[in-house]
Amino acid sequence: MDLRDAAQELYAVMPRDFTSGRTALARQAKDRGDKELAQEIGSFPKPTAGAWAINMLAVHKPEVIDGVVRFGNSLRTAQEEADAAAFRELGQQRQGQLTSAVAAAKDLASGLGAPLSAAAVADVEQTLRAAMADAGAAAAVATGRLVRGLSGSGFESVDLTGAVAASGPDDTADSEEKATGKSGIKPPRKASTPAKEASGTKKKEPKEEATSLAERRAAKQQAALEEARSDFEAADKLAQSAEEAASEAWELVNELADRRTTLKSAIDEARNRLATLEAELIGLTRDADAAESGKKLAVRTAAQQRRAADQAQRRVDRLS
C-alpha cells in the first residue's frame, strides 16, 4: 500500500468512518515499519460534505463525472474554436447538465445514509461547474480523492492547491492541456494579420484579399462569440439567483415539515389526553347518577321518618 492507495481507500468511506479509518491505515503503515507513510496518512484532512459527495459519484457513479467532464471539454472546445453557435447551445444546456449531476449526488448521498445539507448541495454544484470550465478541476473531481470543493469563474484556472489528497501531476490536468495551457475558457484564436500592400500598389493581391476576408470573418465570429458570452453570463446570473431561491424554498419546506411534525405530535398528545378525560367524565357521570338515586332514596326515607315522628308527637300531646 502506497500513499495514493491509502488515500483512494480512505476517501471512499462514509464521513462518520473517516477518522477511525485514517487511524487504522496509519497504524498498518506504522506496523510495517513505514513511519513516514503513517505520518502522511495521519495528516489527511477529512473531506467536506460536498467533496465527499463528489468522491462518491467518482466511486459509485463514474458515468456522472464522465458526463460532466465530457460536457466541459465540448464547452471549452467551442470557445477555443470560436464556434459561437455551439458555445451558445452548450451554454443553454449547461444548467440542465449540472442539475442532473447534482441530483445524482443528492440521491446517492441519501441512499448511503448521509443526506446532503443545502450548503453541501450548493458546494457540489459549484465544484461541478468549475469542472466544466477548467480541465484541471475536471481531472481533480475524477480522482475520488477530493478534499474540498472547487470554484472558478470559467475565465481563470481553478485553484487546486490542497484540493486532492495524495495528488500527483495526473490528478490536476490532462497532459496535453497542461502543455498547451488550455485551462479554463480562453479567448478564441485570432485570424492572422493581413499581408502588407506591395509598395506603390493600390490594388490588393488575391492572397491579401483572402487574408482580409478571413480577418473580417474572424471579427464577425468574435463579435457573435462575445454576444453569446454576454447572454451566457446574464443567464448564468439568473440561474444562480433562481438556485438560491430554490435553496431557500427547500429550507423553508424542511422547516415547515418539522413544525408540522411537532404540531401533529401535540395534537396526538391532546387527543390522547381528551380520550382520558372523556373516560373520566363517563365514570363521574355514572357516579353522579348513582349519587342522585341515593339522594332521592334518602329524602324519601327522611320524609317517612319525619311523618312517623310527628304522629308519635301527636300521641304524646293527646295523652298529656
Side-chain angles (χ1 to χ4, degrees):
M1 178 180 65
D2 60 14
L3 186 63
R4 179 167 296 190
D5 291 335
Q8 209 72 52
E9 178 180 343
L10 183 59
Y11 284 89
V13 304
M14 297 293 291
R16 60 178 175 270
D17 299 326
F18 182 87
T19 302
S20 60
R22 180 178 59 191
T23 300
L25 288 173
R27 185 181 298 113
Q28 290 176 23
K30 188 175 181 180
D31 290 344
R32 290 197 304 271
D34 196 337
K35 294 183 178 180
E36 182 179 352
L37 177 59
Q39 186 175 5
E40 291 179 324
I41 292 174
S43 67
F44 281 149
K46 185 175 182 179
T48 63
W52 171 79
I54 297 291
N55 292 338
M56 291 303 97
L57 284 179
V59 172
H60 299 285
K61 292 188 175 182
E63 69 278 3
V64 174
I65 296 296
D66 183 57
V68 170
V69 171
R70 284 188 287 104
F71 185 86
N73 287 339
S74 298
L75 190 65
R76 292 192 302 276
T77 298
Q79 174 68 45
E80 292 165 357
E81 294 181 353
D83 190 338
F87 184 76
R88 186 194 299 273
E89 182 179 356
L90 290 170
Q92 294 172 346
Q93 296 174 5
R94 189 180 73 157
Q95 189 55 48
Q97 294 285 336
L98 282 171
T99 299
S100 178
V102 171
K106 289 173 61 179
D107 292 344
L108 179 57
S110 296
L112 293 172
L116 300 178
S117 66
V121 171
D123 191 31
V124 168
E125 179 166 348
Q126 182 173 263
T127 299
L128 294 178
R129 190 187 299 274
M132 285 185 176
D134 184 88
V141 300
T143 62
R145 306 190 305 278
L146 203 61
V147 174
R148 60 171 176 82
L150 307 176
S151 63
S153 64
F155 298 98
E156 296 179 355
S157 297
V158 174
D159 181 12
L160 299 174
T161 305
V164 178
S167 64
D170 57 333
D171 292 331
T172 55
D174 178 79
S175 57
E176 180 181 354
E177 290 190 327
K178 289 186 69 179
T180 57
K182 297 179 181 178
S183 178
I185 298 177
K186 302 294 184 180
R189 294 188 296 270
K190 295 183 179 180
S192 59
T193 304
K196 294 182 179 180
E197 294 183 355
S199 175
T201 304
K202 294 183 179 180
K203 185 177 179 181
K204 295 182 179 180
E205 295 295 332
K207 181 178 180 180
E208 185 178 0
E209 290 179 354
T211 304
S212 179
L213 177 60
E215 185 179 41
R216 289 197 301 272
R217 286 178 176 174
K220 184 176 180 181
Q221 194 169 28
Q222 175 67 17
L225 183 57
E226 291 297 331
E227 180 183 358
R229 181 184 297 165
S230 178
D231 293 344
F232 164 73
E233 291 176 350
D236 188 52
K237 289 181 180 179
L238 291 175
Q240 290 184 21
S241 296
E243 290 160 7
E244 291 176 0
S247 178
E248 292 175 359
W250 182 267
E251 292 178 355
L252 178 59
V253 167
N254 290 338
E255 179 184 351
L256 293 176
D258 291 341
R259 290 172 58 186
R260 181 174 60 183
T261 299
T262 301
L263 185 58
K264 287 179 65 177
S265 297
I267 290 174
D268 291 341
E269 183 178 350
R271 283 175 175 166
N272 292 335
R273 177 59 179 161
L274 178 60
T276 300
L277 292 175
E278 287 176 339
E280 291 180 4
L281 178 60
I282 291 173
L284 288 174
T285 300
R286 186 167 53 247
D287 293 343
D289 291 342
E292 180 66 22
S293 299
K295 181 199 73 174
K296 291 178 180 179
L297 178 59
V299 169
R300 285 197 300 272
T301 300
Q304 292 172 356
Q305 293 298 327
R306 176 51 56 191
R307 285 195 297 271
D310 291 342
Q311 290 175 357
Q313 180 65 45
R314 285 195 293 273
R315 285 197 301 272
V316 170
D317 292 341
R318 284 197 303 270
L319 296 173
S320 298

